[in-house]
Amino acid sequence: MALITQAPRGTKDKLPADIYKWHTVEKIAKAVAESYGFKEIRTPVFEHTELFQRGVGGTTDIIQKEMYTFDDKKGRSLSLRPEGTAGVVRAAVENGLLGDALPLKVFYFTNCYRYEAPQSGRYREFSQFGTEVFGANKPDCDVELIALADDLCKRLGITRYTIEINNIGCPDCRKKFQQALREYYEQFREKLCRDCIERLERNPMRLLDCKNADCICFKDNAPLMDDFHCCDCVEHFNSVKAGLNALGIDYKINPLIVRGLDYYTNTVFEFCSTEGLPVFGGGGRYDGLIEEIGGNPLAGAGFGLGMERIIAVMEHDSAPFEPAKSCDIYIAGLGDEAAAKAMELTHELRRDGFWAETDLTGRSVKAQMKYADKLGARFSMVIGSNELESGVVTLKNMQNGEKQEVAINAEGIKLCLMEF
Ligand code: HAM
């Protein structure tokens, strides 16, 4: 098939017939985020490559293998954002948002780009609903973020999911843990996959994330992060658990959650479908990221939910989407004069917020009524010379066939549309 009629691999069109699903999630996510005091932020789709290298971490798969990177005409290296957090932190630092009232809470809907092997639920262009909180170091902030994502799932009608949490500690306790992992995995070096041999050198925590059958078996006896936590990290995580318990939020502790991005510290969490669908959300605390990106040292935390994956989970759960708006009225005109009147009425009704349609193709009234039916129009009317002369037209209810006489003016028609 010719390339120009084929979308690039790993991308998916969002078609008019399905867009109501996106609108449902966007509307509810925005309302829930605003009820927690979050304000929307929008950042560019591309950033300097170095931002992601420094922010996400040079040893992660995202940076090493998955970024869409290109030089612009001046030879500057730019990358399409593979995730939302780094750009939002950059924007907050650059625009001085972190010197103002803290904590700062922002949310965003953003397209992300990762050159991954496409498979069910995994795309090269995908969309995230994300939140970030800057300047709140208390465990209550982690609890609030998990509560927000949990509320959102409930408001969307998602029922079959679990929240998994883990404590990956501060950089100091992580250093000791990484050393222990290195020593443990070293004995299996010969049996590890190529990626894991690299992880052994560069990023041992990612060894726990390997899905390769040859490597998975070594996880069972691997050292546990819990044995390496300092007192502050233990205390922080205990408070997060207590906070979740106090709010009645169910969770499971999963010591194998390490996340695929390097900026996390302490609490990390994932939202997992219990129906075998891919993980649909993840986040955590990142207390060193703002400083890494050039700001003053400041705590940070957030999460990202994959929009495509949320919609897939909702479809699987038969969760309700808000139905798409249907056409209020189709107005057909027989002859030039009546067609002009139909156009004028359509225009007036639209200005008052009704979805009104009239003919743009010159087809017969019968064909126009077929089209009105396809649009799901609630009402229709046909204006001809008789109607123009009498000033009265028949308004037909397309659902039950009922008919009613109305004066040919926008006010009269509007009243009828609102009454029915
Ligand atoms: P992440 O876990 O890499 O975290 O992505 C968050 C969510 O984006 C995933 O749970 C998944 O639903 C969706 N997602 C990721 N990759 C793909 C893909 N290839 N195709 C479809 N959906 C995908 C982050 O990106 C962090 N920035 C989240 C965060 C915000 N942490 C703190 N603040």
Side-chain angles (χ1 to χ4, degrees):
M1 197 196 283
L3 279 182
I4 56 165
T5 55
Q6 219 179 349
R9 203 164 128 71
T11 66
K12 204 173 169 208
D13 299 309
K14 294 155 193 93
L15 300 174
D18 279 334
I19 207 71
Y20 69 99
K21 297 180 181 174
W22 289 77
H23 291 162
T24 301
V25 179
E26 285 161 6
K27 184 175 157 193
I28 296 179
K30 181 170 183 284
V32 173
E34 284 175 349
S35 73
Y36 279 74
F38 286 68
K39 287 203 172 131
E40 187 173 354
I41 187 165
R42 299 183 191 187
T43 63
V45 72
F46 59 84
E47 298 271 1
H48 294 290
T49 301
E50 199 189 345
L51 171 70
F52 299 120
Q53 287 168 337
R54 293 269 293 274
V56 175
T59 61
T60 59
D61 282 356
I62 293 180
I63 299 303
Q64 293 220 321
K65 303 179 188 166
E66 296 170 5
M67 278 223 290
Y68 282 88
T69 297
F70 55 95
D71 284 350
D72 71 4
K73 288 191 194 312
K74 288 259 167 76
R76 287 172 289 232
S77 180
L78 300 171
S79 294
L80 299 185
R81 68 180 152 224
E83 58 97 53
T85 310
V88 171
V89 172
R90 194 267 313 137
V93 171
E94 181 175 350
N95 294 290
L97 308 185
L98 303 178
D100 217 346
L102 293 177
L104 173 70
K105 300 178 180 183
V106 291
F107 75 89
Y108 50 87
F109 296 98
T110 194
N111 277 358
C112 301
Y113 301 84
R114 295 184 191 173
Y115 190 80
E116 292 193 85
Q119 49 181 261
S120 164
R122 198 198 279 164
Y123 303 100
R124 289 181 176 170
E125 181 192 66
F126 60 95
S127 184
Q128 282 184 354
F129 164 66
T131 63
E132 313 294 348
V133 180
F134 304 126
N137 53 4
K138 274 183 70 185
D140 286 353
C141 168
D142 315 10
V143 174
E144 183 173 283
L145 284 164
I146 295 171
L148 193 168
D150 186 48
D151 273 356
L152 175 57
C153 290
K154 296 201 161 77
R155 288 274 299 273
L156 291 173
I158 299 174
T159 51
R160 290 179 279 189
Y161 66 98
T162 50
I163 303 171
E164 299 192 353
I165 65 172
N166 190 22
N167 179 9
I168 61 166
C170 65
D172 285 343
C173 29
R174 220 164 38 223
K175 247 185 231 148
K176 293 178 205 143
F177 177 51
Q178 291 192 323
Q179 188 50 34
L181 275 176
R182 238 182 227 122
E183 282 163 17
Y184 167 78
Y185 272 96
E186 193 58 55
Q187 56 185 314
F188 309 115
R189 181 182 271 273
E190 308 296 299
K191 297 183 179 138
L192 296 175
C193 70
R194 255 211 348 245
D195 280 349
C196 276
I197 292 174
E198 238 175 76
R199 289 175 182 133
L200 194 54
E201 312 294 337
R202 295 174 190 251
N203 200 341
M205 272 172 69
R206 201 109 306 119
L207 287 159
L208 299 172
D209 222 11
C210 185
K211 309 281 184 289
N212 190 313
D214 294 338
C215 309
I216 282 179
C217 56
F218 302 126
K219 275 186 212 176
D220 292 346
N221 296 317
L224 289 175
M225 180 76 216
D226 257 2
D227 297 331
F228 297 85
H229 286 316
C230 63
C231 294
D232 285 351
C233 289
V234 171
E235 206 178 298
H236 185 100
F237 197 54
N238 283 342
S239 302
V240 172
K241 289 186 282 183
L244 292 173
N245 292 338
L247 297 187
I249 297 172
D250 287 334
Y251 60 88
K252 233 169 68 182
I253 293 175
N254 178 354
L256 294 179
I257 297 183
V258 289
R259 310 280 300 131
L261 306 105
D262 271 356
Y263 47 64
Y264 291 110
T265 52
N266 294 95
T267 316
V268 288
F269 54 87
E270 287 184 344
F271 278 65
C272 309
S273 151
T274 49
E275 300 293 298
L277 297 170
V279 171
F280 62 88
R285 176 163 283 287
Y286 47 80
D287 288 342
L289 180 62
I290 297 171
E291 195 177 5
E292 183 66 39
I293 287 178
N296 292 325
L298 197 64
F303 67 76
L305 302 180
M307 294 285 287
E308 290 79 0
R309 293 189 186 177
I310 287 204
I311 289 171
V313 174
M314 287 176 73
E315 284 167 344
H316 196 270
D317 260 9
S318 304
F321 292 98
E322 275 182 30
K325 193 174 169 342
S326 59
C327 174
D328 290 309
I329 184 165
Y330 189 96
I331 307 179
L334 265 172
D336 290 347
E337 204 186 332
K341 187 71 189 170
M343 189 69 167
E344 183 193 311
L345 288 172
T346 302
H347 183 62
E348 280 184 57
L349 290 168
R350 285 173 177 167
R351 278 199 304 208
D352 281 324
F354 292 97
W355 175 1
E357 290 285 349
T358 189
D359 182 49
L360 301 178
T361 63
R363 56 190 157 195
S364 69
V365 167
K366 194 172 162 207
Q368 288 185 50
M369 286 305 122
K370 236 179 172 174
Y371 178 64
D373 221 25
K374 278 198 184 143
L375 289 179
R378 292 164 54 223
F379 292 91
S380 66
M381 59 171 53
V382 180
I383 305 174
S385 49
N386 288 345
E387 284 76 13
L388 283 179
E389 209 171 293
S390 66
V392 175
V393 62
T394 306
L395 181 72
K396 181 177 169 190
N397 182 323
M398 298 281 279
Q399 266 101 55
N400 60 17
E402 260 178 41
K403 292 181 177 164
Q404 191 186 344
E405 305 272 277
V406 289
I408 305 186
N409 63 57
E411 283 315 309
I413 298 170
K414 262 185 268 171
L415 277 180
C416 287
L417 292 182
M418 287 188 299
E419 266 172 32
F420 276 96

